[in-house]
Amino acid sequence: MFALVDCNNFYASCERVFDPRLEDRPIVVLSNNDGCVIARSNEAKALGIAMGEPAFKKEEVYAKHNVAIFSSNFALYGDMSQRVMRTLAQHSAAMEIYSIDEAFLECSGLSADELDRFGIHLRKTVKQWTGIPVSIGVAPTKTLAKVANHIAKRLPDNSGVCVLTKEETIEYCLKKLPVEKLWGVGRRYALFLRSWGINTAWDLRRMPEGWVKENMTVVGLRLQKELKGEPCIPLEDQPQKKKEICTSRSFGTMVTELDELKQAVSMYATRCAEKLRTQNSCTNLVNVFLHTNPFRPDLPQYKNVRLVRLPVASNSTLNIVQAALGGLRSIYRAGYQYKKAGVIVSGLVPSNTIQYNLFHPTDEDRHMRLMSAMDTVNDREGRDVLRIAEQGFARRWTLRQERLSPCYTTRWADFMTISV
């Protein structure tokens, strides 16, 4: 049996934990540069505020209904996610962290009544220990657990727990679930399935397996078997290493000067290097890209990308920043107002299987010691306390975050104080 634990309106809930005045008040969280809506409380959803909608289109609605608006505070959300996951890990022998606000738990060996009590207890514990409300769906497969979680969020008694073990209950729920709501069924697949008269999850479950495999490949067949209660997708308790890492941001203001672009690209390359070291990988290829604002046709347009191949795979910030800056200098053109830049590292290999280059000697041991020292200091004292000089300090190009809440759990200056 699998349990899917999903945090309700996670980003909005994080903001609400530290400010009780936000209870029952509509909340929206905006994307980078305060552009589009990326999270909504239930109250905001009831007002018709859509996911991904540009914030400026609903300014009148925000003002009329006293909507609380926040810039995305990923430092806070990431730390709150870790707290939730640590809580869940104490209640299951095996757990798969599926996303920042979702996790699958192994909960075999329990009866239907025990599963229900387990879900209720777990939901109460997470709320008490972290302040985050969650919904829990339990079923024989991960796909059915997704279905159960979808139902749990909409239960009229607000219990937040749905257990699917009886065949007649599973059939009833699948007949009510639109096919586009299924895990792994995107918009195009949904249109295709509906053209064949497959409108619900139950319809897909009843299709011949041969037809499903022919039209939806083995992935679709696995989905169908999961709907039938046959576990085909195992629990992955060890996170998969990324095959490619990208760090990019839109600038808070237009950037024209090469020096400012070098600061930004250096920071993005630094983040990529840190992520590589976290998963014990090295990169062979460094991609750098930049472009102007495509939504400003009144301005001259330009975009370009450059691939730089490293002679020896590395996860050293020094090597990756050097390669990224070399690529940037080759594609930069004066006279344009740039809106976005980024760095992508690919061709990843384990850090213990590097193929060295006879004609390009390198002191990797020295780099590893230096990077280890930098990571230790930055982990203890705060991000970028030690940094590459090219990253600079006066970052006029950084994200616009005019409605950023305090980093209540990750910054000493933002810790809450209580007077008694």
Side-chain angles (χ1 to χ4, degrees):
M1 297 295 289
F2 298 91
L4 174 63
V5 183
D6 186 8
C7 301
N8 298 340
N9 311 314
F10 181 57
Y11 293 171
S13 295
C14 289
E15 300 291 352
R16 196 171 264 167
V17 166
F18 298 96
D19 190 350
R21 294 171 299 179
L22 297 174
E23 199 66 36
D24 298 324
R25 183 179 170 188
I27 300 173
V28 297
V29 179
L30 305 180
S31 62
N32 293 338
N33 289 314
D34 295 345
C36 301
V37 176
I38 59 171
R40 309 157 294 162
S41 67
N42 289 333
E43 297 82 2
K45 295 175 184 177
L47 296 176
I49 299 172
M51 184 70 83
E53 190 172 36
F56 72 89
K57 290 187 175 182
K58 290 289 187 178
E59 288 180 350
E60 292 184 3
V61 175
Y62 298 159
K64 180 179 179 181
H65 297 280
N66 192 29
V67 177
I69 308 169
F70 292 95
S71 302
S72 48
N73 188 343
F74 293 117
L76 174 64
Y77 308 151
D79 185 68
M80 292 300 292
S81 173
Q82 291 180 18
R83 294 179 181 215
V84 171
M85 299 307 166
R86 285 196 297 266
T87 302
L88 297 178
Q90 296 183 40
H91 291 81
S92 178
M95 179 178 77
E96 174 188 340
I97 299 177
Y98 184 67
S99 69
I100 192 172
D101 62 347
E102 287 180 282
F104 286 100
L105 306 181
E106 169 65 45
C107 52
S108 298
L110 300 177
S111 67
D113 289 340
E114 290 172 330
L115 288 170
D116 194 58
R117 289 196 296 270
F118 168 77
I120 293 171
H121 170 73
L122 183 58
R123 186 170 187 261
K124 181 180 178 180
T125 302
V126 173
K127 176 68 174 177
Q128 182 180 1
W129 290 9
T130 68
I132 301 296
V134 300
S135 296
I136 301 175
V138 184
T141 70
K142 290 171 75 173
T143 301
L144 287 176
K146 274 276 191 179
V147 174
N149 190 277
H150 178 82
I151 297 168
K153 290 179 179 292
R154 293 157 179 80
L155 289 174
D157 61 359
N158 201 32
S159 64
V161 177
C162 176
V163 179
L164 296 182
T165 54
K166 297 179 179 179
E167 181 59 33
E168 58 268 24
T169 307
I170 294 174
E171 178 180 339
Y172 175 82
C173 293
L174 294 183
K175 286 180 177 179
K176 294 291 184 180
L177 186 71
V179 70
E180 61 269 17
K181 296 292 185 181
L182 272 176
W183 187 28
V185 175
R187 184 174 60 87
R188 287 190 174 182
Y189 253 141
L191 291 173
F192 169 75
L193 292 172
R194 285 189 175 276
S195 71
W196 280 84
I198 303 171
N199 299 308
T200 67
W202 180 253
D203 294 335
L204 178 60
R205 171 174 155 156
R206 296 179 64 219
M207 292 296 291
E209 291 187 1
W211 183 94
V212 174
K213 185 176 181 180
E214 180 181 351
N215 291 278
M216 300 180 67
T217 72
V218 69
V219 176
L221 181 60
R222 191 159 54 223
L223 170 64
Q224 185 192 42
K225 286 182 177 294
E226 287 253 323
L227 291 175
K228 294 179 178 179
E230 302 175 32
C232 298
I233 307 174
L235 201 70
E236 297 179 0
D237 52 0
Q238 294 297 323
Q240 295 274 338
K241 288 187 176 182
K242 296 180 180 178
K243 298 180 180 179
E244 182 178 273
I245 295 172
C246 174
T247 303
S248 68
R249 297 287 187 276
S250 295
F251 303 133
T253 58
M254 297 290 194
V255 175
T256 58
E257 300 300 322
L258 177 60
D259 285 344
E260 289 186 305
L261 286 171
K262 287 166 67 176
Q263 287 184 5
V265 168
S266 295
M267 190 189 78
Y268 303 153
T270 297
R271 297 291 172 261
C272 287
E274 290 170 350
K275 294 173 183 177
L276 284 170
R277 293 194 291 274
T278 298
Q279 69 172 34
N280 294 316
S281 296
C282 292
T283 181
N284 284 295
L285 304 171
V286 179
N287 254 303
V288 186
F289 67 87
L290 80 167
H291 61 74
T292 53
N293 190 346
F295 300 104
R296 289 289 303 275
D298 56 310
L299 298 176
Q301 297 294 313
Y302 173 76
K303 62 180 179 180
N304 209 337
V305 60
R306 180 56 50 91
L307 175 64
V308 180
R309 184 179 296 276
L310 299 181
V312 177
S314 177
N315 58 20
S316 167
T317 299
L318 301 179
N319 291 337
I320 295 173
V321 168
Q322 183 182 30
L325 292 180
L328 173 65
R329 283 189 287 266
S330 70
I331 61 177
Y332 170 76
R333 299 292 182 271
Y336 294 97
Q337 298 186 42
Y338 294 100
K339 182 61 178 175
K340 187 174 184 178
V343 175
I344 304 171
V345 293
S346 55
L348 306 190
V349 296
S351 55
N352 59 354
T353 60
I354 299 174
Q355 178 66 53
Y356 289 97
N357 189 329
L358 179 64
F359 303 101
H360 194 282
T362 179
D363 192 350
E364 277 301 314
D365 289 340
R366 183 185 178 195
H367 277 270
M368 289 172 62
R369 291 195 301 272
L370 177 59
M371 292 302 105
S372 177
M374 283 187 64
D375 292 340
T376 299
V377 172
N378 287 332
D379 286 344
R380 185 177 65 230
E381 303 297 334
R383 175 175 276 184
D384 289 339
V385 168
L386 280 181
R387 69 179 74 185
I388 303 298
E390 199 69 68
Q391 289 180 249
F393 290 91
R395 297 174 176 177
R396 187 180 64 87
W397 44 268
T398 51
L399 293 174
R400 185 172 68 250
Q401 294 180 305
E402 298 173 353
R403 302 173 182 272
L404 186 66
S405 58
C407 295
Y408 297 103
T409 64
T410 59
R411 185 183 297 153
W412 287 107
D414 291 345
F415 277 20
M416 300 183 75
T417 57
I418 301 174
S419 299
V420 291

